[in-house]
């Protein structure tokens, strides 16, 4: 948890670039979150106006209407978790640690600078691009902070990146490559396994062996699953890799949370699973957020407040949550390692990136403007998909 | 493909047990299939009367009605693939090779005999149990031939096993342990990767790099997914493990086939994906059956005839199928290795076996009658879940 959630002005990187070499930019893509109560409205509006996330009929009018209607309710939730989302705070700390490690393990591409591009909150993509330009960046890596691909998350962030580059006339400014997924990268899995061990330590020793690990990922509308989105497969792969790392020490389940009506969503629903575990008189449950790398409203409110209360109601004696990766140094090292392998691999993106969903209707998808061809990149990279040995 | 589909009388094992030691029985659990046109009716009737597979209102009457109505249509399909299902033929060959290997790599538990228990076709569970009794078996391993757990497949087979043991008064006859899942066992993954390479070799060399690997598994009703069935997670884990083994050499998708109306099933649907790949002008598709280890009507008819015709219609120039594992010696060795590790591991079942689905309503589930305690077994086995190194 951050000591303070006071909004911090985007300062990007701790150390100054003084050498003769242009910095290598690592653009960290994520959802973002409102830092104050006043930010909630614009945040929800951007979200409900994004038809790559939530396609609505009469998007402009209905999106604004839904956002306005939900704002007070969501403001109240943020008030209960300290006033705002900590995602900017955590991403900054992750970025700072990551570039420090990167300068050590990849001196040939140093100095490294990180930039943050949130999809629905400050700093937005345009802020990051302006700062990159001001810093004299040429070579840039767009690094999704969602371990598993979904068109709703990484896809929407990348599409926004290409749109903003064109809008700002920055097509020739940077040479890009992408880390578009890393669901089973061994260093990420190692960090996740560590968080689960920390979670297990919260249980009374005598109960620890009987803990059920309830992996929970943000759900996806079934329409997106049916379009062929890779997310369910990749989330499941992460779960399996973590359990293998733990030697299948505990029983586990995978469920999905945060469905929004009236769509049909991928199940089983975490909320329903908690109810049913209560009915089965399960005493010990450790919930493990598996598709997001920082604390956010779905961990701090939905899990820690709403699900914890539900668990009490249905009689689960010990309901705990594995800590989010946040500023865990193992995770920052994992991020650095993923980037270092990517830079060494000289590939533009993963093998999967160019594969549009079979049901895709969005001509924007799977674009790559200004590929980093000049530095000898080739297409298709297995690097970030986890099969490379640890550096 | 078998040379002949003439029904073979269940003879179980090639070599006779002559030594002083009672044989270790490996009971291979699978769906089964009708070997002749006359077998189709009883096969479908068993299937539609099984409420662990397809819960129906008025199961007895409606099940028989649906089975009778579907019989001529399904008979026609079997006629088109040579008259019957080859699953008995292939399971026999797999079993023969498996016990030969087992006697070599696990001499301490030799001799090994395999028995086949199909859920809906001969030989049924009772046939296998009678034969085991006649052979003087004491120690028995129930070995599911479905790599990934589902309550509809492995669960239903095991529940039938316990019911039949009780019905036949054989509770004290055998001491049991279970291999209830093996979705990412390295030897299985190795064999699968080999089959994909054989599949790729069917494409013109110039086209080979652009082949899309379309993994296809039997679909599951969404109601079963929502109950918390492990199948989608484990199928996805198999796909990821195979792709890692192949170094993510090709683009891939996971889809689900064989939905039966009027239920809602897990998607994306293989059929719909093929249509959409055609619309995207995809030229080269290799379909890879990933949740079944022998040829059966879903490979020989649904894929090789129906989907192949659809692929032609929608303009996919090269639509091929990876061969099923069938009697591939790598696969028989994998089966032997999985059993040998299980026997050495001295565990009764996987860590996941005793975890009932959160939405489970079936008091029969996750039973183990007559556990092999006398041979020093402990509960919970990671062995068959794939994290053990190759023997």
């Amino acid at each position: 948890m951050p000591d303070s959630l006071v909004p911090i002005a985007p300062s990007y990187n701790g150390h100054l670039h003084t050498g003769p070499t242009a910095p290598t930019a690592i653009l960290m893509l994520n959802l973002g979150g409102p830092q104050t109560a006043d930010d909630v409205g614009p945040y929800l509006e951007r979200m409900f106006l994004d038809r790559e996330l939530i396609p609505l009929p009469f998007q402009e009018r209905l999106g604004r209407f839904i956002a306005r209607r939900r704002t007070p309710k969501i403001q109240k939730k943020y008030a209960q978790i300290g006033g705002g989302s900590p995602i900017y705070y955590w991403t900054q700390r992750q970025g700072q640690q990551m570039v420090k490690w990167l300068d050590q393990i990849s001196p040939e591409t140093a100095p490294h600078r990180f930039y943050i591009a949130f999809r629905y909150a400050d700093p937005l993509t345009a802020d990051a691009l302006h700062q990159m330009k001001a810093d004299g960046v040429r070579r840039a890596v767009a690094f999704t902070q969602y371990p598993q691909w979904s068109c709703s998350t990484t896809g929407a962030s990348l599409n926004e990146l290409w749109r903003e580059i064109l809008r700002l006339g920055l097509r020739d400014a940077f040479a890009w490559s992408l880390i578009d997924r890393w669901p089973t990268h061994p260093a990420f899995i190692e960090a996740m396994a560590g968080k689960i061990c920390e979670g297990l330590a919260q249980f009374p020793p005598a109960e620890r062996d009987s803990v059920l690990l309830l992996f929970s990922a943000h759900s996806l509308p079934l329409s997106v699953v049916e379009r062929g989105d890779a997310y369910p497969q990749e989330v499941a792969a992460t779960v399996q890799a973590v359990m293998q790392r733990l030697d299948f020490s505990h029983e586990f389940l995978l469920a999905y949370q945060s469905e929004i009506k009236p769509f049909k969503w991928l199940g089983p629903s975490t909320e329903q699973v908690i109810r049913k575990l209560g009915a089965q008189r399960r005493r010990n449950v450790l919930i493990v957020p598996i598709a997001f790398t920082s604390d956010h409203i779905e961990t701090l409110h939905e899990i820690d407040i709403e699900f914890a209360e539900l668990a009490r109601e249905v009689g689960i004696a010990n309901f705990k949550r594995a800590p989010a990766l946040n500023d865990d140094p193992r995770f920052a090292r994992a991020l650095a390692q993923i980037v270092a392998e990517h830079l060494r691999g000289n590939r533009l993106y993963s093998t999967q990136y160019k594969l549009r969903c079979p049901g895709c209707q969005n001509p924007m998808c799977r674009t790559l403007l200004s590929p980093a061809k000049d530095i000898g990149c080739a297409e298709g990279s297995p690097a970030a998909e986890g099969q490379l040995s640890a550096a």
Side-chain angles (χ1 to χ4, degrees), chain A residues 5-56:
Chain A
L5 286 173
V6 177
I8 312 163
S11 67
Y12 298 104
N13 203 337
H15 63 93
L16 281 168
H17 162 232
T18 48
T21 327
T24 302
I26 319 299
L27 181 62
M28 300 169 83
L29 306 174
N30 214 335
L31 181 81
Q35 293 189 44
T36 67
D38 286 349
D39 294 343
V40 172
Y43 171 78
L44 291 179
E45 200 173 281
R46 286 192 196 99
M47 200 172 246
F48 284 97
L49 288 179
D50 180 10
R51 60 168 58 252
E52 287 168 352
L53 182 73
I54 309 161
L56 295 169

Side-chain angles (χ1 to χ4, degrees), chain A residues 109-337:
Chain A
T109 51
H112 303 87
R113 287 195 179 200
F114 75 95
Y115 301 84
I116 299 173
F118 285 150
R119 182 66 191 85
Y120 309 112
D122 292 326
L124 293 164
T125 303
D127 304 322
L129 292 174
H130 285 311
Q131 190 64 45
M132 284 164 61
K133 181 82 179 141
D135 290 351
V137 165
R138 288 286 304 143
R139 175 75 171 92
V141 178
F143 183 12
T144 182
Q145 297 302 296
Y146 306 99
Q148 304 91 5
W149 174 276
S150 169
C151 297
S152 316
T153 55
T154 300
S157 274
L158 286 170
N159 288 350
E160 176 72 359
L161 176 61
W162 312 130
R163 274 192 301 264
E164 288 294 90
I165 286 173
L166 292 176
R167 185 176 70 82
L168 300 170
L170 291 171
R171 190 160 184 166
D172 299 324
F174 315 112
W176 289 96
S177 65
L178 316 178
I179 303 174
D180 51 271
R181 70 198 71 206
W182 34 288
T184 54
H185 192 284
F188 162 57
I189 297 304
E190 188 67 26
M192 274 307 308
K195 289 320 213 189
I196 292 173
C197 294
E198 290 174 29
L200 287 168
Q202 301 169 53
F203 289 80
E207 311 261 4
R208 215 165 280 164
D209 284 351
S210 68
V211 173
L212 171 75
L213 305 182
L214 175 55
F215 291 93
S216 186
H218 200 296
S219 190
L220 207 60
L222 279 180
S223 59
V224 179
V225 175
E226 277 155 19
R227 195 170 65 198
D229 199 273
Y231 182 79
Q233 190 271 323
E234 295 192 6
V235 169
T238 302
V239 169
Q240 187 80 2
V242 170
M243 289 311 305
Q244 285 186 340
R245 177 62 191 80
L246 295 173
D247 230 21
F248 293 92
S249 60
H250 291 75
E251 293 178 336
F252 70 97
L253 279 170
L254 168 58
Y256 294 91
Q257 70 182 80
S258 321
E259 319 82 291
I260 304 171
K261 283 171 188 163
F263 305 102
K264 295 212 175 241
W265 293 71
L266 180 61
S269 131
T270 305
E271 184 188 327
Q272 293 306 317
V273 165
I274 292 169
R275 283 184 199 284
K276 289 167 184 169
L277 291 173
Q280 287 182 350
R281 301 173 182 274
R282 191 92 202 186
R283 281 183 54 80
N284 300 296
V285 175
L286 178 67
I287 186 164
V288 183
I290 196 67
F292 219 75
T293 57
S294 304
D295 270 317
H296 56 307
I297 198 160
E298 284 85 358
T299 57
L300 298 173
H301 198 282
E302 191 174 13
I303 295 179
D304 292 351
I305 298 177
E306 297 168 50
F307 291 166
E309 191 179 310
L310 174 64
R312 260 193 311 277
E313 273 171 36
V314 301
I316 297 172
N318 302 301
F319 179 85
K320 312 280 182 187
R321 173 169 70 84
L325 292 163
N326 292 343
D327 62 351
D328 190 312
R330 286 169 296 201
F331 179 57
R333 273 201 302 274
L335 292 176
Q337 196 173 316

